[in-house]
Amino acid sequence: MRVFHLSAECYPVAKVGGLADVVGALPKYQNQAGLQAAVVMPYYNRKFVHENEFDTVFQSSTLLGTRRLYFEILKEKNNKLGFELFLVKIPGLLDRHEIYSYPDETEQFIAFQIAFLDWISYSQQSPDLIHCHDHHSGLVPFLLQHSKLYTRLAATPIVFTIHNGQYHGAFGWDKLSYLPEIDLSQTGLLDWAGAINPLACAVKCCWRYTTVSPTYLEELTINSNGLEYLFYLEKAKGVGIINGIDTSIWDPKTDPMIAEKFSIKSLPKKQANKDALCARFNLSPEKPLIAFIGRLVIEKGADLIGTAMEQSFNEYPGQFNFLVLGAGDKEMEKELLQLRDFYPDQCNVFIGYDEALAHLIYAGADFLLMPSRVEPCGLNQLYSLRYGTLPMVRNTGGLHDTVIDFGDEGGYGIRYNNASVEDICVAVGRALVLYGNEKQLQTLRKLMMALDFSWDRSAKEYITLYESLNPTI
């Protein structure tokens, strides 16, 4: 089965969030299971493209409205990532450093999708299935079915994965001319709330859509930034599949980024990572260490963290430490830096993102705080489980599906129902009590490290879905 994954991100080529981790792992595991999966993404002027070799496998031009764009398709020579990687390069449009936030972002991703379709159409390729990820490739299902340029490919099954339903990529009807010639009687499929909405369009036109957890599939009908009714109408097409993690990268037994490797059988060695982490940030390794890793945005509950930690520091004076790795909203960054200044012996903050530091925090922290308001799947809690770091999560989305409270049968984490200062403080108190029971904590660490959240399981679920759409393969 020949499958193309279309995405704006793919680790390690270009990453902003979890989308990159998924697209950088799922095709690899699908190939290991017998598929022929490839990734197609925009070209970014980043480290990966300069350190690896590429062949130009296709060259052509296409129209974006009245603007003619030259494009080329580059293929990474050595399948270094475990799958074929193709980059769509368009001089002046898809050859920049950043992934998002350019004023012509709409034009960038429309051109990306058109160039992809032109390539597979003109080169007479016939993929067995196309898997689109998020709104950046959301117009592809519509164009395949309703543009005469791609009639030959109209019967190609399309799966569309929603990694975050809050972002739609919507733009005005004044940009309809950017699309290739389409059946104008079908423009209602493009529309939602008076705009062209690629996410809504993809949900309407794809064969099946998936969310990155079963609970998030349900939550989209009540919280999807204006698309709630659409998800209610199209719910029968939806499937929730939990993301996996790449256990070849996220493995404390082999991880080159941590201070000392460890496993379930050598769990005491985890302490060496906590020692190294605390030494770096001037914290006491004798106290329980709670950490937060992620974007400092409202969706992640980051606006609650400063107040919650201040109250917890006052309620449990000198009893625990807190460490942050993240960046985002400047006011939230400022609040956390002030917290560090007020409690220098208990708190430290790293503004930005550092992959190696993230690995060390997962290995060295005792608890990982995730007070998310929205969390379609979440990968951080899966990484923390793999490294024996107990997740403290709000009961939402994929956090609900992957973390069972240690007070319940078979549980191994801390869950709370509300994204609130009060619930976070209660969770901190429970964490400190648990930390005081070393035998129970070690038992829970062994339990969580033995859980299987690998991509092997998730990849098989996707393959089963693919085969249901194209049973002739």
Side-chain angles (χ1 to χ4, degrees):
M1 179 185 283
R2 175 66 162 164
V3 176
F4 282 118
H5 289 268
L6 270 66
S7 175
E9 301 178 37
C10 175
Y11 178 82
V13 187
K15 172 181 175 176
V16 169
L19 170 62
D21 291 318
V22 173
V23 178
L26 175 58
K28 178 171 69 174
Y29 283 82
Q30 289 179 331
N31 284 342
Q32 292 173 3
L35 262 65
Q36 188 182 356
V39 170
V40 184
M41 64 183 297
Y43 177 101
Y44 302 106
N45 186 25
R46 290 190 165 214
K47 182 179 179 181
F48 185 90
V49 300
H50 297 297
E51 292 184 347
N52 292 278
E53 296 182 273
F54 289 82
D55 288 324
T56 300
V57 297
F58 187 80
Q59 294 177 309
S60 187
S61 65
T62 193
L63 286 174
L64 185 72
T66 59
R67 181 180 172 189
R68 181 158 293 279
L69 300 175
Y70 166 83
F71 73 89
E72 54 185 350
I73 307 296
L74 307 179
K75 180 181 182 296
E76 193 266 314
K77 278 187 177 183
N78 302 310
N79 287 359
K80 183 175 180 180
L81 303 182
F83 50 81
E84 291 182 314
L85 173 68
F86 297 94
L87 306 181
V88 179
K89 185 175 184 179
I90 303 176
L93 200 61
L94 297 181
D95 60 354
R96 303 166 181 170
H97 181 268
E98 298 302 330
I99 302 174
Y100 307 121
S101 300
Y102 290 103
D104 57 356
E105 184 175 296
T106 295
E107 289 82 348
Q108 287 181 295
F109 290 117
I110 292 177
F112 164 61
Q113 295 170 83
I114 294 172
F116 164 74
L117 291 173
D118 285 357
W119 166 46
I120 61 171
S121 179
Y122 298 159
S123 58
Q124 295 298 301
Q125 298 184 65
S126 298
D128 296 303
L129 185 138
I130 297 174
H131 190 152
C132 300
H133 295 265
D134 271 350
H135 69 81
H136 320 99
S137 55
L139 297 173
V140 167
F142 174 85
L143 293 174
L144 277 181
Q145 297 167 31
H146 301 296
S147 174
K148 67 180 183 180
L149 293 178
Y150 312 117
T151 302
R152 184 181 66 82
L153 299 164
T156 306
I158 300 280
V159 171
F160 179 68
T161 293
I162 301 162
H163 297 264
N164 192 330
Q166 297 295 310
Y167 302 102
H168 303 171
F171 55 92
W173 282 97
D174 58 311
K175 295 183 179 180
L176 177 64
S177 62
Y178 290 162
L179 303 185
E181 184 179 351
I182 60 172
D183 180 352
L184 293 176
S185 70
Q186 300 297 318
T187 54
L189 293 170
L190 295 168
D191 180 78
W192 194 263
I196 296 175
N197 188 311
L199 186 74
C201 177
V203 171
K204 295 176 189 178
C205 296
C206 69
W207 291 35
R208 296 296 289 273
Y209 70 87
T210 72
T211 61
V212 290
S213 70
T215 295
Y216 192 58
L217 179 66
E218 302 293 328
E219 289 180 353
L220 285 173
T221 63
I222 57 173
N223 182 13
S224 50
N225 199 14
L227 296 185
E228 293 81 7
Y229 187 58
L230 174 64
F231 283 112
Y232 169 76
L233 294 174
E234 299 286 358
K235 190 175 178 180
K237 287 203 308 189
V239 180
I241 301 176
I242 285 283
N243 283 340
I245 60 174
D246 190 338
T247 52
S248 67
I249 295 174
W250 298 95
D251 187 351
K253 290 186 291 187
T254 58
D255 192 336
M257 299 186 197
I258 64 178
E260 185 164 344
K261 301 175 179 63
F262 64 97
S263 66
I264 294 176
K265 293 181 179 179
S266 60
L267 192 51
K269 292 183 179 179
K270 178 177 169 67
Q271 181 65 36
N273 293 284
K274 184 178 181 180
D275 292 343
L277 190 60
C278 290
R280 177 171 174 178
F281 289 99
N282 299 313
L283 301 172
S284 169
E286 305 302 319
K287 297 177 183 178
L289 176 59
I290 300 172
F292 173 90
I293 300 174
R295 292 181 294 121
L296 302 179
V297 293
I298 287 177
E299 291 86 351
K300 298 295 183 182
D303 57 310
L304 306 171
I305 294 175
T307 301
M309 287 302 112
E310 182 175 16
Q311 288 189 17
S312 297
F313 284 150
N314 290 331
E315 187 171 353
Y316 308 104
Q319 294 183 40
F320 75 99
N321 295 327
F322 182 59
L323 178 63
V324 173
L325 168 60
D329 183 273
K330 297 305 177 186
E331 285 301 313
M332 296 180 200
E333 291 180 2
K334 181 180 178 182
E335 182 181 16
L336 290 169
L337 290 171
Q338 288 176 340
L339 182 73
R340 177 198 65 186
D341 293 341
F342 282 132
Y343 300 92
D345 296 329
Q346 288 185 261
C347 178
N348 214 325
V349 177
F350 184 103
I351 298 297
Y353 185 74
D354 183 307
E355 187 77 15
L357 177 56
H359 282 244
L360 183 60
I361 292 175
Y362 288 121
D366 298 301
F367 303 94
L368 184 78
L369 178 66
M370 296 183 70
S372 304
R373 289 185 172 87
V374 179
E375 197 65 70
C377 176
L379 291 174
N380 289 8
Q381 83 278 13
L382 303 184
Y383 299 146
S384 74
L385 291 169
R386 181 81 167 155
Y387 286 73
T389 294
L390 193 137
M392 304 165 58
V393 305
R394 183 183 167 236
N395 191 18
T396 187
L399 301 178
H400 170 85
D401 292 332
T402 57
V403 177
I404 302 172
D405 191 272
F406 78 90
D408 297 331
E409 184 178 354
Y412 44 81
I414 293 175
R415 288 202 322 202
Y416 42 96
N417 290 326
N418 301 303
S420 68
V421 169
E422 291 74 20
D423 275 29
I424 295 172
C425 290
V426 170
V428 170
R430 294 185 69 203
L432 299 186
V433 171
L434 177 59
Y435 187 83
N437 187 335
E438 184 176 354
K439 183 178 179 180
Q440 184 181 15
L441 181 59
Q442 294 300 91
T443 298
L444 293 179
R445 283 175 172 169
K446 291 176 181 178
L447 175 61
M448 68 180 77
M449 291 177 71
L451 298 171
D452 179 16
F453 286 108
S454 71
W455 269 114
D456 292 309
R457 172 187 49 80
S458 301
K460 289 174 183 175
E461 292 189 53
Y462 277 108
I463 292 171
T464 299
L465 174 62
Y466 295 172
E467 290 174 343
S468 74
L469 301 178
N470 199 339
T472 61
I473 300 167

